[in-house]
Amino acid sequence: MTGFATSVTSPEQLAELYRPPNELVARKKIDHVDAGAAALIAASPFVLVSTSGADGRCTVSPRGGEPGFVQVLDPGRIAVPDFAGNNLLDSMRHLLGNPHVGLLFLLPGRPEVLRVEGSAVVTVDEDVLERAVDHGKRPVAAIGVTVESVFVHCSASLRRGGLWEPDSWGRVEAPTTSEVVRGHLALTEAPA
């Protein structure tokens, strides 16, 4: 049961809905981090990390730092430092049971998105962690990614969303994250 009246259930149905990508789009995926992709990664202060557990449950986790906080170790490997945060460790636990990972690198003010996919491990490699020290703080661990696919997404979704256009931001008509957290805590009140 999907909870939706009509859903697509086969590759053939999907193919009826979308045209195939043109040749240039199909060719833009490469299997390593080239100089251009390395420069985008070095300039990015923000990456979204997508993982899925052995049970198939997915999560996306934001990671940020000074531009260059994600290290390109060589054309086939990158490392995303993991500094102490909320310690839910959803992404890290997922990687223990399913090594597949997707990364989306964003650049402030630019509509491009760099996507990297591969297999990953949680690493505590001393050299990797030492290279990732930020303002005197060393990461607890890092997500070590063996790169399988690298490509630049088109800018359409960021342009449509107006993400980098201050005139489109307006006043946000939504609760603050603090208000949302208080509501969640009220729903999950610890037993007395």
Side-chain angles (χ1 to χ4, degrees):
M1 181 77 174
T2 65
F4 295 91
T6 307
S7 58
V8 175
T9 58
S10 73
E12 294 78 20
Q13 286 177 307
L14 198 58
E16 289 175 16
L17 294 173
Y18 296 92
R19 62 176 168 71
N22 70 42
E23 180 201 355
L24 292 178
V25 170
R27 287 182 28 220
K28 71 179 180 176
K29 281 189 179 186
I30 60 174
D31 64 358
H32 64 283
V33 178
D34 68 341
L40 291 177
I41 291 169
S44 176
F46 186 77
V47 63
L48 295 165
V49 178
S50 174
T51 59
S52 174
D55 62 358
R57 292 201 163 282
C58 300
T59 193
V60 178
S61 179
R63 305 294 163 92
E66 294 292 324
F69 81 102
V70 174
Q71 306 163 46
V72 176
L73 303 173
D74 57 53
R77 298 178 310 139
I78 64 175
V80 181
D82 191 64
F83 293 93
N86 62 24
N87 289 336
L88 288 174
L89 305 177
D90 293 331
S91 298
M92 306 303 255
R93 281 193 178 92
H94 281 172
L95 292 174
L96 300 177
N98 178 355
H100 300 291
V101 66
L103 307 172
L104 290 179
F105 291 92
L106 298 177
L107 294 163
R110 290 184 52 184
E112 299 91 2
V113 176
L114 180 72
R115 183 162 129 191
V116 176
E117 298 170 334
S119 60
V121 297
V122 177
T123 182
V124 291
D125 183 294
E126 290 295 322
D127 293 334
V128 170
L129 299 182
E130 279 302 314
R131 288 174 61 172
V133 171
D134 182 36
H135 294 86
K137 292 187 178 182
R138 184 180 156 156
V140 175
I143 298 172
V145 179
T146 299
V147 175
E148 296 170 2
S149 174
V150 176
F151 66 99
V152 174
H153 272 283
C154 76
S155 60
S157 61
L158 290 179
R159 277 188 284 117
R160 279 192 298 264
L163 188 62
W164 304 126
E165 297 173 25
D167 291 343
S168 74
W169 298 345
R171 181 173 145 73
V172 176
E173 296 294 333
T176 66
T177 54
S178 295
E179 292 168 333
V180 172
V181 168
R182 282 195 300 274
H184 289 185
L185 291 174
L187 291 173
T188 60
E189 212 169 301

